[in-house]
Amino acid sequence: MTELELLDKAIEARGFSYSPYSHYAVGAAILMKDGKVVLGANQENAAYGDSMCAERVAIFSSRMMGYTKKDIVMIAIASDADDLPYPCGSCRQVLSELFPLDGKVICGNLKHKMEVKTLEELLPNHFILKD
Ligand code: ZN
């Protein structure tokens, strides 16, 4: 699956967004090594702090399906905005534990404008607990 095809899956995932407050629908799609694609979309709540970004919905769903970061190839994130939907700080932190640091993060929009970075580029010197 190409980066562009995965971006189309993220665009498709936007259809599951619940965003009555921001009206900013975001979709995410994670490609697994076995070819499966796990989708996520932002889920908002009247108590704004209880909302969840598309990337975290997708990565937590993948965990519930039994996947770990060694199973992941890349993630695509899509919105309808001209400014590309880069992951927020909370998503970058969560992904730094559950997503490969050298995995591609594709940020794109409905016009297929996109940019590809690694997670490490998006969150250098990430926080992690050592044991
Ligand atoms: Zn986020």
Coordinates of all heavy atoms in Angstrom, one line a residue, residues 53-56 86-92, ligand 1:
C53 N -8.2 12.5 20.1 CA -7.7 12.7 18.7 C -7.8 11.4 17.9 O -7.7 10.3 18.5 CB -6.3 13.2 18.7 SG -6.0 14.7 19.6
A54 N -7.9 11.5 16.6 CA -8.0 10.4 15.7 C -6.8 9.5 15.8 O -6.9 8.2 15.8 CB -8.0 10.9 14.2
E55 N -5.6 10.0 16.0 CA -4.4 9.2 16.0 C -4.4 8.3 17.3 O -4.0 7.1 17.2 CB -3.1 10.0 16.1 CG -2.9 11.0 15.0 CD -3.5 12.4 15.4 OE1 -4.7 12.5 15.7 OE2 -2.8 13.4 15.2
R56 N -4.8 8.8 18.4 CA -4.9 8.0 19.6 C -6.0 7.0 19.5 O -5.9 5.8 20.0 CB -5.0 8.8 20.9 CG -3.6 9.4 21.3 CD -3.7 10.2 22.5 NE -4.1 11.5 22.2 CZ -4.6 12.4 23.0 NH1 -4.8 12.1 24.3 NH2 -5.0 13.6 22.6
Y86 N -0.8 18.0 11.6 CA 0.3 17.4 12.3 C -0.2 16.9 13.7 O -1.1 17.6 14.3 CB 1.4 18.3 12.5 CG 2.1 18.7 11.2 CD1 1.8 19.9 10.6 CD2 3.0 17.8 10.6 CE1 2.4 20.1 9.3 CE2 3.5 18.0 9.4 CZ 3.3 19.2 8.7 OH 3.8 19.5 7.5
P87 N 0.3 15.8 14.2 CA -0.2 15.3 15.5 C 0.0 16.3 16.6 O 1.1 17.0 16.6 CB 0.6 14.1 15.8 CG 1.2 13.7 14.5 CD 1.3 14.9 13.6
C88 N -0.9 16.4 17.6 CA -0.7 17.3 18.7 C 0.4 16.7 19.7 O 0.8 15.6 19.5 CB -2.0 17.5 19.5 SG -2.5 16.1 20.5
G89 N 0.8 17.5 20.6 CA 1.8 17.0 21.5 C 1.5 15.7 22.3 O 2.3 14.9 22.5
S90 N 0.2 15.6 22.7 CA -0.2 14.4 23.4 C -0.1 13.2 22.5 O 0.3 12.1 22.9 CB -1.6 14.6 23.9 OG -1.7 15.6 24.9
C91 N -0.5 13.3 21.3 CA -0.5 12.2 20.4 C 1.0 11.8 20.1 O 1.3 10.6 20.0 CB -1.2 12.5 19.1 SG -3.0 12.4 19.3
R92 N 1.8 12.8 19.9 CA 3.3 12.5 19.7 C 3.8 11.7 20.8 O 4.6 10.8 20.6 CB 4.0 13.8 19.5 CG 3.7 14.5 18.2 CD 4.4 15.8 18.0 NE 3.7 16.6 17.0 CZ 4.3 17.5 16.1 NH1 5.6 17.7 16.2 NH2 3.6 18.2 15.3
Ligands
ZN1 ZN -3.7 14.6 19.2

